[in-house]
Every structure is written in structure tokens, then in C-alpha cells.
Amino acid sequence: MENYLKTVLYAYPLLETVGEDYEQHIRNKAVLSYDGKWNTLRLAEYLAEEILHKNRLEWLKGAVERVLDELSAVERELIAIRYFGKKRKRGADEFSAWSVRKYFRMQQKIGEKVGVMLKAYGVTKTKFFEELAPIGMIAKVHSFVERQEQIKSPLRKGDGAAV
């Protein structure tokens, strides 16, 4: 799965209250504008940008939720374990009968499926980097994903090392 799609999945739990959080932030910034150091034009531009960020993040949350709704319970569980930080309960789920090899193969298969589905809902690489990656929260998660990928495979093509 491409890194930007992994970023979307890792960021999803953070999107749970994004609408409310942004709305509160925007309201506070506007109400307290009398005491701010920005001129009116700069403040209006900032608030408009924050409203765009809020709308984009709510759209992203909706896209991920539509994808998750189309998955089976087992597939949703696998995604939750891998990307949302949910812990596996030892012996309490159907995964306990799986071999480690089967578990990781299933994770890979579900990851690829979810990637295709996200793209079908409009979460494309272009849209991600143009509209979502500039948002601070998404940028931080993407930076984390990129670092993890570099740790996994430090020798990449073009580094001059034999691959």
C-alpha cells in the first residue's frame, strides 16, 4: 500500500472529533480577534483556510467510514488492529487459530483492498498531496509513515547500493 494511503488510515482515529475541534478553534479565534496581533485581512484569510481544512478532514473521515462500512467484520478488525491501535485479544478472536504467516498475508490483502477502495472514493495521490498533506495533523502522520518506511528498507533504489 502506498504511504499516503497508510497515512490516511493512521490518521483516521484522529479525525473522530475533527469537525467539533476545528469549529471550536475557529469560533475562539474569531471571538478573541479583538486581542489579536493580526490585521483583519490576515485573520479572515486564516479563518477561511481553517474552514477549508475542517471541510477537507471531514470529507476524508467520511470517505474512510464509507470504505470501512463496506468491509466485513473480520476485515474491519484487521484494519483496526493494524492502523487504529486496537489491541488483539489473545484467544478471544478468530485470528488466534491463524498462523502468523496467514495473519500477515491477510493484513496485506486487506490493505490492498482498502487502498483500491479509498482511491475509488476519491482519495487519490494528487488530492492527498494538494489538499490534505499541507494540513499540520496529516503532515505529521505522513512524516511518521515515511520514517517508518525508511527504517524498514534503508537501501532504496537510487541510493547507489545494490538492491
Side-chain angles (χ1 to χ4, degrees), residues 1-3 5-13 68 71 73-89 93 95 98 103-112 114 141 144-146 148-149 152:
M1 181 186 305
E2 296 178 67
N3 285 350
L5 294 169
K6 290 178 183 179
T7 299
V8 167
L9 292 174
Y10 279 122
Y12 175 72
L68 294 174
L71 299 176
V74 171
E75 292 170 329
R76 278 193 302 275
E77 186 78 11
L78 284 168
I79 291 296
I81 290 168
R82 174 69 175 96
Y83 295 101
F84 306 159
K86 183 176 179 187
K87 301 291 183 198
R88 268 178 67 185
K89 296 176 186 168
D93 57 25
F95 309 130
W98 291 1
Y103 175 79
F104 284 106
R105 281 188 179 169
M106 289 299 293
Q107 281 285 8
Q108 183 176 359
K109 182 180 173 184
I110 301 306
E112 290 170 4
V114 168
V141 174
F144 167 78
V145 170
E146 291 284 318
Q148 292 304 109
E149 286 299 312
K152 284 184 198 174

Side-chain angles (χ1 to χ4, degrees), residues 2 4-5 119 122-131:
E2 296 178 67
Y4 82 94
L5 294 169
K119 288 177 186 178
V123 184
T124 63
K125 192 173 203 170
T126 301
K127 187 170 189 93
F128 177 84
F129 284 105
E130 288 178 0
E131 297 181 14

Side-chain angles (χ1 to χ4, degrees), residues 38-48:
W38 292 346
N39 65 37
T40 305
L41 177 61
R42 174 64 188 116
L43 178 63
E45 289 171 343
Y46 173 80
L47 293 175

Side-chain angles (χ1 to χ4, degrees), residues 8 15 18 52-66 118-124 127-128 131-132:
V8 167
L15 300 176
V18 72
L52 285 174
H53 288 177
K54 173 187 174 283
N55 291 342
R56 288 173 181 158
L57 292 172
E58 285 179 331
W59 169 83
L60 181 63
K61 178 184 174 197
V64 174
E65 286 173 347
R66 286 190 298 277
L118 283 169
K119 288 177 186 178
Y121 278 111
V123 184
T124 63
K127 187 170 189 93
F128 177 84
E131 297 181 14
L132 298 167

